[in-house]
Amino acid sequence: MSKNVRYEIFNLIKKFEEKKSFSNLILNEYLSNSDLSSKDKSLLTNIFYGVLEKRLMLDHILKHYSKIKLKKIDKDILIILKMAVYQIVFMEKIPDNAAVNEAVELTKKVKKKSAAGFVNAVLRSLIRNDKKTYITDEETVDMLSLKYSVNKDIIKLWKKAYGQAVLLKILESLFNKAKIHIRVNTLKNDAEDLKIKLENDNIKVTKTDLADALIIENISNIAENKLFKNGCFHIQSLSSQLCCKAVKPSPGDIVYDVCVAPGGKSFTMAQMMKNTGELFSFDKYEHKVKLINKDAKRLGINIIKASVKDSMVFDFEQCKKADVVLCDVPCSGLGEVKRKPEIKYKDVSDLKELTDIQYKILCNASSAVKSGGILVYSTCTLNPQENNEIADKFLAENKGFEAVKIDVGRIIKRNSFEPENQLTIFPFNGMDDGFFVAMFRKI
């Protein structure tokens, strides 16, 4: 890996810390405009995400080898140290001396030459001590927080909600790289046909237990792939596709997707509807609505009518009554940690404002459901406050609705702690994302 690539990684991490944007957006933007080789892109991605994913552990290791307290270390130097420690401890193919030397050179390149000796001393000390991390196998909240680099409050939340055994499974799953799931555009091809076409492009394809859902690997730039450009598929997590399977819209239905971005569920539902009926997709941000319309055109979908609306305050009473209303509400995102590692460090001590928004959107959008129609509430988080408690509250306070059993076949096992109209999907057992779905029918 060249010095230039290490400098690029440094700048990306610095940009992430300064902009406070999602890591995947920053990285994807960089990679789409980069002329780096596939090998260098892979290494850059590995180190960039590695440093973000293991932030708490890397801080813990550095505390044992630095004579200066971390909060007093220059921010640029701290980034360089974390990059080097990650390579030394977790990347066996990179020689220790190379990691140290490159860190020292990078320190000089960012005009912090005076700190070069300090960087060298910290890293050499780590190597001399056999790369000891001071992480044990204790299953206490404190040690699990360090081992998996997850905020203590999130660990406490998951332990209280799901128990120690499920907590450990969730944490262990975070070390597995998120796969790229795609949904076959059944308006243009079937799964077997698309699989053959992708494999002819030297893309590895794996089938899943869910019809029309595939996993793809070794693809460097999806946006430039001709099959993607021709609308043969769109990217959508398996958990999100399962939500659509539970919803089961039919051809000719009137459907509302009231918090649409990035649009995956709207596209999948339109395909399930065989591009007949009407599908109204709302989002409060104009740039996101433009992207939905652009992707719908690429996929050959013409029943989607995307528009800018704030579903918390929009008057749904004036709309056509719908067969299906889907509320995939804004949430804390604790189910997307594999794709956005920075979520692990969120403060979840007070979610009152967020849960109020979620409940208002659900109640407001419920007025668009026709008699006998289906109302669906979903999130991409693992938090009963935003999930089960919202669903329970809605059913208790809205007597015009009844619970509807969720049926996704044998793809995943139901949880014993939930009623049949609720389903928490965990990020293990073949799933990459945590998700929640609840279903109601208007009486």
Side-chain angles (χ1 to χ4, degrees):
M1 186 167 69
S2 69
K3 296 177 184 178
N4 182 53
V5 177
R6 293 177 191 273
Y7 184 58
E8 294 298 306
I9 298 168
F10 167 82
N11 283 323
L12 282 174
I13 295 174
K14 188 172 181 177
K15 182 178 181 180
F16 164 76
E17 292 186 347
E18 290 174 350
K19 278 200 165 187
K20 301 300 181 184
S21 178
F22 283 125
S23 56
N24 62 324
L25 298 180
I26 288 176
L27 182 63
N28 290 342
E29 181 184 9
Y30 173 82
L31 293 177
S32 63
N33 297 306
S34 171
D35 58 359
L36 291 177
S37 67
S38 296
K39 183 179 179 182
D40 279 347
K41 284 182 178 179
S42 176
L43 285 166
L44 180 143
T45 300
N46 191 338
I47 297 175
F48 174 75
Y49 272 138
V51 171
L52 300 187
E53 286 171 350
K54 299 187 183 299
R55 189 177 82 187
L56 297 184
M57 181 188 280
L58 295 175
D59 284 348
H60 178 72
I61 294 171
L62 282 169
K63 284 177 184 176
H64 285 82
Y65 294 99
S66 172
K67 293 180 179 179
I68 302 174
K69 290 185 177 181
L70 264 57
K71 63 182 179 181
K72 293 187 176 182
I73 298 175
D74 179 89
K75 289 182 179 179
D76 289 353
I77 300 304
L78 199 53
I79 291 173
I80 292 170
L81 283 170
K82 289 179 182 179
M83 286 171 56
V85 171
Y86 178 76
Q87 292 167 78
I88 291 168
V89 176
F90 298 104
M91 299 184 73
E92 295 179 357
K93 292 183 179 180
I94 297 179
D96 294 343
N97 286 338
V100 176
N101 292 338
E102 295 295 350
V104 171
E105 290 302 311
L106 185 54
T107 302
K108 297 174 183 176
K109 188 172 180 65
V110 301
K111 297 182 172 62
K112 301 291 172 69
K113 186 177 179 180
S114 61
F118 169 70
V119 169
N120 183 70
V122 171
L123 300 177
R124 295 290 178 192
S125 177
L126 170 64
I127 295 168
R128 283 195 303 272
N129 200 28
D130 295 325
K131 309 178 189 179
K132 187 176 179 181
T133 62
Y134 296 93
I135 301 290
T136 70
D137 290 330
E138 293 177 83
E139 294 182 355
T140 62
V141 169
D142 286 351
M143 193 52 66
L144 290 173
S145 174
L146 293 173
K147 182 177 180 180
Y148 296 97
S149 278
V150 178
N151 186 318
K152 291 179 188 178
D153 287 340
I154 294 176
I155 289 180
K156 290 176 183 176
L157 185 158
W158 285 343
K159 182 177 181 178
K160 180 181 179 181
Y162 310 121
Q164 183 79 355
V166 173
L167 164 68
L168 294 176
K169 285 184 179 181
I170 294 173
L171 294 175
E172 194 63 35
S173 76
L174 301 185
F175 282 160
N176 300 323
K177 185 179 178 182
K179 299 179 180 68
I180 302 174
H181 295 111
I182 63 171
R183 157 76 189 193
V184 179
N185 184 358
T186 51
L187 302 176
K188 294 194 174 187
N189 45 205
D190 60 32
E192 192 58 41
D193 182 38
L194 179 60
K195 182 175 184 291
I196 293 170
K197 290 176 182 176
L198 288 166
E199 289 173 339
N200 287 339
D201 281 349
N202 297 315
I203 296 168
K204 184 178 178 182
V205 183
T206 307
K207 290 184 176 181
T208 71
D209 292 334
L210 182 60
D212 303 316
L214 302 172
I215 298 170
I216 58 174
E217 299 176 61
N218 49 286
I219 180 168
S220 57
N221 191 341
I222 294 176
E224 293 303 314
N225 179 272
K226 66 179 185 295
L227 294 169
F228 179 82
K229 285 183 173 181
N230 292 335
C232 295
F233 66 92
H234 68 267
I235 301 168
Q236 186 183 13
S237 75
L238 203 58
S239 299
S240 178
Q241 292 188 54
L242 267 176
C243 175
C244 296
K245 179 178 173 62
V247 175
K248 292 184 292 191
S250 301
D253 277 353
I254 296 175
V255 176
Y256 290 91
D257 186 352
V258 304
C259 300
V260 63
K265 285 182 281 296
S266 275
F267 304 145
T268 296
M269 290 192 294
Q271 292 161 28
M272 295 171 77
M273 294 161 67
K274 301 188 186 302
N275 205 25
T276 64
E278 295 179 278
L279 205 165
F280 298 91
S281 301
F282 301 153
D283 197 273
K284 65 187 294 186
Y285 299 106
E286 186 176 359
H287 71 280
K288 292 183 178 181
V289 169
K290 287 180 179 178
L291 290 175
I292 302 304
N293 285 323
K294 180 181 176 181
D295 276 338
K297 185 177 180 180
R298 175 179 63 82
L299 294 163
I301 297 170
N302 55 35
I303 65 167
I304 291 178
K305 299 176 178 65
S307 57
V308 180
K309 288 181 176 60
D310 183 347
S311 296
M312 189 167 68
V313 297
F314 177 69
D315 183 9
F316 282 97
E317 291 286 356
Q318 64 179 286
C319 296
K320 293 181 181 179
K321 295 302 179 183
D323 298 281
V324 175
V325 173
L326 170 61
C327 303
D328 186 53
V329 297
C331 66
S332 59
L334 297 179
E336 295 188 304
V337 171
K338 288 185 190 178
R339 303 181 195 279
K340 302 170 184 174
E342 61 273 18
I343 290 174
K344 297 191 295 181
Y345 313 116
K346 265 191 173 184
D347 180 5
V348 293
S349 57
D350 183 14
L351 292 169
K352 180 70 169 61
E353 184 178 352
L354 184 57
T355 54
D356 284 348
I357 291 171
Q358 292 164 340
Y359 190 64
K360 285 177 182 176
I361 291 174
L362 178 61
C363 291
N364 191 39
S366 70
S367 62
V369 184
K370 76 176 187 180
S371 180
I374 297 295
L375 174 66
V376 182
Y377 174 81
S378 66
T379 74
C380 56
T381 197
L382 295 173
N383 178 12
Q385 284 179 268
E386 301 174 73
N387 296 343
N388 312 84
E389 291 179 20
I390 295 278
D392 290 340
K393 182 180 179 181
F394 179 81
L395 206 55
E397 296 182 357
N398 293 270
K399 300 304 181 183
F401 286 84
E402 63 182 3
V404 177
K405 180 180 178 180
I406 293 174
D407 181 16
V408 290
R410 299 182 179 181
I411 297 171
I412 55 173
K413 289 179 65 176
R414 293 203 58 83
N415 303 301
S416 59
F417 63 85
E418 293 175 311
E420 290 187 330
N421 77 310
Q422 299 176 24
L423 179 64
T424 298
I425 301 170
F426 293 106
F428 49 79
N429 291 341
M431 298 293 161
D432 273 336
D433 302 89
F435 211 84
F436 175 79
V437 186
M439 291 183 65
F440 316 92
R441 180 185 291 110
K442 188 168 185 179
I443 303 169

